[in-house]
Amino acid sequence: MAALSAAGLRKTYGGTEVVAGLSFAVEAGRCFGLLGPNGAGKTTTLRLCLGLTAPDGGTVTLNGHAIPAAAQQARARVGVVPQFDNLDPDFTCAENLLVFGRYFGLADADVRQRIPQLLDFAGLGSKADARIATLSGGMKRRLTLARALVNDPDLVFLDEPTTGLDPQARHLIWERLKQLKSAGKTLILTTHFMDEAERLCDTLIVIDHGRKIAEGSPRELIAAHIEPQVVEVYDEAGGDLPAFVAAHRDLAGRVETSGETAFFYCGEPRPLLARLAEAPGLRYVHRASNLEDVFIKLTGRELRD
Amino acid sequence: MLSAAVRPPAVRWFPVWQRNFLVWKKLALPSILGNLADPLIYMLGLGYGLGAMLPEINGRSYVAFLAAGTVCASTMNAATFEALYSAFSRMHVQKTWDAILNTPLGLADVVAGELFWAATKSLFSGAAILVVVAALGLASGPLALWVLPAIVLTGLAFAALGLIWNALAPSYDFFMYYFTLFITPMTLISGVFFPTDQLPGWLATVGGWLPLAQGVALVRPLLAGQVPADALIHIMALLATAGVAFVIALRLTRRRLLK
């Protein structure tokens, strides 16, 4: 049975359909990514899954409970890392965990026993009595993750868990999320970082304008939607990029130009690389294509805000 | 495997109350003294200063008359302040309510927790004034202890009314209107500072219907050692205000947070 499934989910705000017939299913113990540009409907989808807002159409089942009718029972076995920190600023780290445990009906003694372990997991072992205001952004994020685990949930929702963090902090969060997955927990992740999704997600869906536009594992999506190799060419020191692109367009399956950079998506990049070696004033990078290339192909390059 | 106790809905608000209590405990003494100072200064200053020039009211000194009004007004102010500014901080600024709503608790539990917490704060405030009033010899007899439940009822009514305004507030500035349009005029026509028979008849009638007047009608006789007339009506009026206002506040908050 799926840990989380949605079928035909719809939600309209002010005449705009923010979620427009979304269906997906998440197997227990997997990491599922919900990707999409700003305003695609990711956060609304999460709210619908948690029963924090009622759908205009469609159904959600979470941990075997119908949502939103039995959302409160379902949430007993769920943890949430929200997009914006809402730790209790009046409390210490340990108090934040203790008080949060009470919302789940957990006995203080049980939570107190778990606090050292939870803080260690978050790399905050020495911060039990530290006030929230003294924590760095990364520490707050990790404490929020520890807080989401206070009830030992089966399933954890993570809404952009690493936004605003430095690389060290992001890597630590990724490490912890992998540990949670190995421990059998189901993870539902929204993120804007395609490398994050590629590292962590077993399957993901890309949504835009409330609709699913792609679904699969990161590898499957790359294989299905895009040429395997990318050559990025930069105009540097007076090279003539437009002329180069016009002359060599046929050496790539697809070419996109964005500002001073041209992206050649190719199956076989060698002929192109040979020409580039002879082209003066152009710098290039040759790499394997990744999820970000897929994402941009599917959702376009224009800004969404 | 942790075993989460499934609480019956009637007490699910308790952890929300507990959270607020834990925050308050950290600053309990300054909080009580801060809440006590302002009403006491008014009560003592006006009661003894102005009261020296005034005749007795129903056979009691002006300061004794004002003491009952002060207990009720501070109860109202404490509940109102908590349900407006403090609840708004938790709901809108700190997003504490959002965090709680991700747990098995529902919005009704959160709003009920806030209601009972604001009433508790008003009990602390009203009871602290009551202690001073008793120490000054302005409370006669054990009936005065019944003031405590009257404070709770008054606190519940104003907590629930405040939560309605909280649900509608775009920012802290919005709360000023609640005070200038509702709380301050009500304080002046509910018999806190002077008997309402000094008012034009229609205004006294309006004042008599307001929840602050219901509280005053219970507290003043109790402090004078008398059983309040029509006690049941005043109790029912406060309970009904609290109940109806809570339902409205919950509905408006649901529209705001869970749309």
Side-chain angles (χ1 to χ4, degrees), chain A residues 11 13 47 50 52-53 72 75-77 80 82 86 88-92 95 99-100 102-106 110 114 131 147 150-152, chain B residues 1-7 12 15-16 18-20 22-23 26 94-96 98-107 109 257-259:
Chain A
K11 183 73 185 179
Y13 287 121
R47 287 173 60 81
L50 285 164
L52 297 176
T53 185
Q72 289 176 247
R75 290 202 299 263
R77 304 290 312 142
V80 179
N86 51 26
D88 236 315
D90 298 298
F91 293 146
T92 64
E95 284 169 337
V99 168
F100 214 70
R102 290 173 179 164
Y103 301 143
F104 288 88
L106 299 172
D110 290 347
R114 273 172 65 75
R131 296 183 70 87
R147 191 184 68 172
V150 76
N151 58 328
D152 192 20
Chain B
M1 171 90 180
L2 280 180
S3 53
V6 179
R7 293 168 198 260
R12 287 230 311 241
V16 179
Q18 242 181 333
R19 180 232 163 254
N20 294 346
L22 183 58
V23 176
K26 292 175 178 251
Q94 293 175 199
K95 308 280 183 195
T96 310
D98 286 348
I100 300 173
L101 290 172
N102 285 328
T103 73
L105 299 188
L107 191 63
D109 307 316
L257 295 182
L258 302 182
K259 65 174 187 296

